[in-house]
Amino acid sequence: MKNKILLFLAILLTGHTVFGQGLKKKPASTKETDRAFWLKEMDHMLRPVLRSLAHDSLRLTMPQMTSIHVDNKEQRIKVQYVEVLGRVLSGIAPWLSLDGGSAEEIKLRDQYRVWTIQALKNALDSSARDFMRFDLGGQQLVDASFIALGFMRSPWLWDHIDNQTKKNLVASIKITRQFRPAYSNWLLFSAMNEVFLAKYSDDWDVMRVDYALQQLEQWYVGDGMYMDGPHYAFDYYNSYVIHPYLAGIMDFIQLKTKNYDGMFAKIKLRNERYAIIQERLINADGSFPPTGRSVIYRAAAFHHLAEMAFKRRLPRELSEGQVKAALSAVLKKSTENPNTYENGWLTLGMYGNQPGLGDPYNNQGSPYLCSVIFLPLGLPDGDSFWTSEASDWSARRIWSGQDWHKDQGKAIQ
């Protein structure tokens, strides 16, 4: 009986079944635009998280799921709340900052703005049921940085939270300094937290930023790609973290000093080359190679390509219509399986629920990193990314027999 009551409350609070989604399905006779499709999928994915947290009920509604390979189940469940908040914010933040659009989109955005502001207040208020501690373990260094990344992508968020929430957030980010980052991409998490503090506080550690930048420079291996630590691995961490974080750090630090101008010039060229590689990894049907760690992050494998589109930094080799079509195909492919969600929440898998693909550190919050696929929604609906005609991407051209230009590696130092 207790389980039935909890399930009913979960359905009620997340808005599934009882209230439906914020964006209703179009009639069969109406062709859905790319943007409408993206908004519908974003709403489907993120509504349970932000609506529940805004109602101070995330701990009630969010499943306490971990990987079947989990290394410390109790700890992984404890940290899943900061994890899901950071990952959702990092993807939705640019869209929240935007104005305009269709009446339906404006209404949806206004609702998400209300939810997000209240969600942040609840997460950082020690008297709230959904209060989130940031001192429970090293994983929270990671997840605090995704919150920081969201705020760096959306000054609107900072401008609209109340002063007490601002103080609480700064204090929470600082708490994670006690955790020593792993000798890997984790150095960038520490650096992003300090960049956040440099922008929104008066206390930041320059050395944590410098160390991350200098070390990643040592880990660059060529052709736009970095090692994740002392050894190279063919996975998606160049996109999950390395390129987007380096670009975000660069965007802020280059406004404060010219000491890194030479390094940043190389980072920009590497960003472009890796965007080209990413586009080539998208198969003709929107699938992509299931290689390496963290594949249950699904579309987050193209975090970098999505961000390059959002920041209008696509290299000349990639047209906006080509990238829009490729990312739309990834979004469709990675969400179309009926087992992508269970009771409204993302499952662990690349294509549906695939427990064997999980990693020891995965919990219910982990797959929500795929929220970053929605970064281009931060561009207005009249932007050329959305108005340009969709065109075939490389794999689709080649595997349909069309002629196309070959890929060429670049000796970028």
Side-chain angles (χ1 to χ4, degrees):
M1 183 66 181
K2 179 180 178 182
N3 290 337
K4 290 182 178 179
I5 293 173
L6 289 175
L7 178 60
F8 173 76
L9 288 172
I11 292 172
L12 185 65
L13 288 165
T14 55
H16 288 279
T17 305
V18 178
F19 298 107
Q21 295 301 313
L23 286 179
K24 297 180 179 178
K25 290 185 177 180
K26 301 287 185 181
S29 60
T30 302
K31 186 178 185 299
E32 185 176 53
T33 65
D34 288 316
R35 189 176 181 91
F37 167 67
W38 284 49
L39 286 167
K40 182 180 70 177
E41 293 300 326
M42 180 201 72
D43 185 34
H44 187 185
M45 186 183 298
L46 307 188
R47 175 173 288 256
V49 178
L50 290 174
R51 189 181 192 279
S52 296
L53 186 52
H55 287 80
D56 202 17
S57 299
L58 185 65
R59 292 180 188 275
L60 173 63
T61 60
M62 186 176 179
Q64 295 187 343
M65 178 184 66
T66 59
S67 166
I68 61 173
H69 308 296
V70 67
D71 52 5
N72 187 337
K73 185 169 185 175
E74 182 180 353
Q75 181 69 10
R76 295 302 177 187
I77 291 173
K78 283 182 179 179
V79 301
Q80 72 175 13
Y81 305 104
V82 177
E83 189 160 337
V84 74
L85 175 59
R87 291 168 191 233
V88 166
L89 276 184
S90 66
I92 199 175
W95 180 67
L96 293 175
S97 296
L98 195 63
D99 288 315
S102 67
E104 191 175 23
E105 180 177 350
I106 291 171
K107 181 179 179 180
L108 186 70
R109 186 188 299 112
D110 286 346
Q111 177 64 82
Y112 269 84
R113 284 175 168 179
V114 171
W115 282 343
T116 303
I117 295 305
Q118 186 60 45
L120 284 163
K121 184 174 183 178
N122 289 339
L124 297 163
D125 180 357
S126 60
S127 66
R129 180 169 48 212
D130 280 337
F131 172 63
M132 300 179 186
R133 290 177 55 181
F134 285 63
D135 60 349
L136 297 175
Q139 177 64 33
Q140 296 195 294
L141 169 65
V142 177
D143 302 320
S145 81
F146 280 108
I147 294 176
L149 179 61
F151 274 84
M152 296 304 293
R153 286 172 169 168
S154 176
W156 183 93
L157 281 173
W158 183 262
D159 292 340
H160 287 81
I161 57 176
D162 61 76
N163 288 334
Q164 187 58 53
T165 301
K166 290 178 181 178
K167 292 178 183 178
N168 293 343
L169 178 57
V170 168
S172 296
I173 297 292
K174 287 182 178 180
I175 284 174
T176 65
R177 285 173 169 170
Q178 67 184 282
F179 302 118
R180 179 182 178 183
Y183 193 55
S184 65
N185 68 87
W186 279 43
L187 298 177
L188 294 169
F189 299 138
S190 290
M192 182 58 71
N193 286 341
E194 297 303 323
V195 166
F196 166 87
L197 293 171
K199 183 174 178 65
Y200 296 116
S201 177
D202 57 359
D203 174 25
W204 67 294
D205 186 345
V206 178
M207 287 301 297
R208 293 178 195 244
V209 177
D210 180 74
Y211 179 48
L213 290 173
Q214 299 291 356
Q215 189 57 64
L216 265 293
E217 190 67 18
Q218 296 299 311
W219 288 338
Y220 179 68
V221 294
D223 203 24
M225 289 181 281
Y226 296 82
M227 295 189 296
D228 182 14
H231 306 288
Y232 179 77
F234 189 72
D235 55 29
Y236 293 100
Y237 270 84
N238 268 266
S239 184
Y240 294 145
V241 176
I242 295 173
H243 276 281
Y245 269 69
L246 282 173
I249 293 166
M250 175 185 70
D251 289 346
F252 180 78
I253 296 299
Q254 68 184 358
L255 301 177
K256 298 185 75 68
T257 178
K258 292 186 173 296
N259 290 341
Y260 301 96
D261 283 2
M263 181 191 295
F264 290 162
K266 291 186 287 186
I267 287 175
K268 290 175 183 177
L269 292 175
R270 296 165 188 168
N271 285 167
E272 292 184 357
R273 173 57 188 155
Y274 191 61
I276 293 170
I277 292 172
Q278 286 237 287
E279 189 268 354
R280 294 271 174 163
L281 287 171
I282 300 173
N283 296 327
D285 64 348
S287 63
F288 49 95
T291 181
R293 300 166 292 156
S294 302
V295 292
I296 60 93
Y297 296 168
R298 293 187 174 90
F302 300 96
H303 185 181
H304 174 61
L305 186 59
E307 185 185 53
M308 289 289 281
F310 163 60
K311 291 184 174 180
R312 299 185 177 92
R313 294 177 183 173
L314 292 173
R316 58 181 177 79
E317 292 90 341
L318 301 177
S319 72
E320 291 179 311
Q322 172 186 355
V323 172
K324 177 179 66 177
L327 291 177
S328 295
V330 169
L331 180 57
K332 180 178 185 298
K333 191 68 178 178
S334 62
T335 58
E336 69 180 8
N337 187 289
N339 295 318
T340 299
Y341 297 93
E342 184 174 339
N343 296 325
W345 296 86
L346 283 171
T347 54
L348 298 186
M350 283 189 76
Y351 191 71
N353 187 9
Q354 298 163 309
L357 296 181
D359 289 288
Y361 46 82
N362 291 153
N363 58 40
Q364 181 63 72
S366 303
Y368 283 88
L369 187 58
C370 63
S371 304
V372 295
I373 191 68
F374 299 116
L375 287 174
L377 285 174
L379 296 170
D381 62 349
D383 186 86
S384 56
F385 178 83
W386 294 109
T387 60
S388 60
E389 184 176 355
S391 59
D392 288 346
W393 56 100
S394 295
R396 191 163 183 177
R397 287 176 183 269
I398 293 168
W399 289 106
S400 63
Q402 301 176 57
D403 192 20
W404 193 230
H405 54 78
K406 68 182 182 68
D407 184 43
Q408 182 67 51
K410 293 185 179 180
I412 305 168
Q413 297 302 316

